[in-house]
Amino acid sequence: MRRRTFFAAGLTAVSAAIGGSSADRGIENALFGDATAEPVSLRLLGGQVAAAERTLEAAGLGELNRRLPRLLSTARATWEAVTGSAKERAASLFSRALSVTSQQQIRVSRESIASVAADRAARYAELAGDPVAMAGAARNQAVVLRRAGSPLADKVMIDAAELLRAETALRGADSAGMYGKILASAAYTAAGHDDRDAAAEYLSAAGGAIEPFGDTPRLARADLDVFAVSCDRVLGDYGSALHHAHAVDLQAVPEAHERGRYWQDVGLAAHGRGRIDLAIEALAELDQTAPQYLHHRPWSRRLVEDLLYTREGGSSPLLHRLGARYGL
């Protein structure tokens, strides 16, 4: 199996460079420190990892802050304790726990820790011989690169997708779904570079990959509709974003994270079109769907601040509550 190239953050001084709550530092300690735990059975560990994945899908970012330090320590201790064929299974579970950590840290805007977790997820996925997990880790690394403004983000995603295709032939729903998810993220990245054609091409290829399977565990067809809205919004085509958003069946979007991103896009696009009423409505929906996303992302503070200076926003109890939280 060919190795992937990952762009990991340096392990020295990262923990000291990043502030955060004691729960945040618990994750750092589990990654960098000497946190210890007792090994458990692979069956029990598998249940714990699956529960963390479900919490991530439900946008339970605060709950994961509390649960991930123990999970990471337990997964590492279990991997170190087992031998023989169980070693690969333990490595796979540890990789999944690290992937959850990487995604959770991305969503709370702690990209340096996310990068380290993604790099380690890739290493343990390789030990487990799991090309899907390796591709997912590369996607997480590319998101960190995109946040940092690196031009390498698109290349890392496309290389990961093509390697996954070469290694799996996309024969199963899991690999096809991950392939599509990576391409959908690449479409969003291309849109951020004002490359409308590439964004459309990647979204089309993502849809083609999952077409034989319908909705997959990694990517649902309705998720691609949300990505299309995101791409329009990033391209500055706010009218098209709102038009596409109107056609999205939110009931078919399985993850709270994607539903939250939908309302983020609607709010930003509505503000861009001068639809202050709709922007406020979108924030209210996001506050119900994935409220923790309003706590951690810079865009939400900027949008609330802008809306508070409008006539409609100035009279909104929701915006005043959010503004007080941000110290506005």
Side-chain angles (χ1 to χ4, degrees):
M1 183 181 294
R2 289 182 290 162
R3 284 184 172 271
R4 302 174 190 270
T5 300
F6 292 92
F7 299 84
L11 300 187
T12 58
V14 174
S15 180
I18 300 177
S21 68
S22 59
D24 295 328
R25 289 191 293 274
I27 291 175
E28 293 176 27
N29 288 336
L31 289 171
F32 302 112
D34 55 359
T36 59
E38 293 297 318
V40 299
S41 70
L42 292 180
R43 181 176 180 180
L44 178 57
L45 180 60
Q48 292 174 350
V49 171
E53 290 170 337
R54 290 192 296 271
T55 302
L56 182 70
E57 292 170 1
L61 304 182
E63 183 178 350
L64 286 172
N65 257 349
R66 295 185 292 273
R67 292 170 56 182
L68 283 173
R70 172 59 60 179
L71 176 60
L72 291 172
S73 298
T74 300
R76 182 176 62 185
T78 302
W79 177 78
E80 290 173 346
V82 298
T83 58
S85 61
K87 201 77 170 175
E88 285 190 359
R89 172 64 174 157
S92 177
L93 291 171
F94 194 9
S95 175
R96 286 166 59 188
L98 287 161
S99 181
V100 170
T101 303
S102 178
Q103 293 176 76
Q104 186 261 2
Q105 291 289 285
I106 286 170
R107 294 174 192 181
V108 298
S109 300
R110 303 183 80 236
E111 286 83 2
S112 294
I113 300 300
S115 181
V116 172
D119 178 67
R120 295 189 184 180
R123 281 189 272 153
Y124 282 96
E126 186 171 14
L127 289 174
D130 187 342
V132 175
M134 291 175 65
R139 174 183 174 272
N140 293 339
Q141 279 287 70
V143 171
V144 173
L145 289 170
R146 182 175 69 206
R147 293 271 185 93
S150 171
L152 292 171
D154 181 72
K155 182 180 187 302
V156 171
M157 287 188 186
I158 298 305
D159 285 352
E162 291 309 309
L163 185 55
L164 179 62
R165 175 194 282 274
E167 293 181 344
T168 68
L170 309 182
R171 293 188 185 94
D174 196 41
S175 58
M178 178 59 76
Y179 180 83
K181 190 171 186 176
I182 294 171
L183 288 185
S185 294
Y188 182 81
T189 303
H193 297 149
D194 293 323
D195 194 339
R196 184 183 300 272
D197 291 341
E201 178 185 348
Y202 295 152
L203 282 179
S204 177
I210 66 171
E211 185 176 2
F213 306 98
D215 293 340
T216 74
R218 305 278 182 176
L219 183 72
R221 288 166 293 187
D223 291 333
L224 291 176
D225 296 332
V226 176
F227 270 103
V229 175
S230 298
C231 289
D232 284 338
R233 191 263 302 171
V234 172
L235 285 163
D237 195 345
Y238 300 132
S240 181
L242 294 177
H243 176 74
H244 282 137
H246 184 71
V248 173
D249 179 8
L250 271 186
Q251 297 299 317
V253 178
E255 293 187 18
H257 165 66
E258 296 299 335
R259 295 193 296 273
R261 189 159 61 83
Y262 168 89
W263 287 115
Q264 170 190 341
D265 288 324
V266 170
L268 291 170
H271 180 249
R273 290 283 288 181
R275 291 285 311 278
I276 304 303
D277 57 334
L278 182 55
I280 296 171
E281 178 184 341
L283 285 176
E285 292 286 352
L286 183 55
D287 192 45
Q288 293 295 315
T289 302
Q292 293 177 63
Y293 286 18
L294 289 173
H295 301 179
H296 300 288
R297 300 305 305 279
W299 70 265
S300 61
R301 178 190 174 98
R302 290 194 298 269
L303 180 58
V304 168
E305 185 172 14
D306 289 345
L307 292 174
L308 278 171
Y309 283 102
T310 67
R311 180 176 60 81
E312 299 97 320
S315 60
S316 166
L318 169 67
L319 292 182
H320 281 285
R321 173 167 61 82
L322 294 175
R325 179 189 299 160
Y326 298 139
L328 299 176

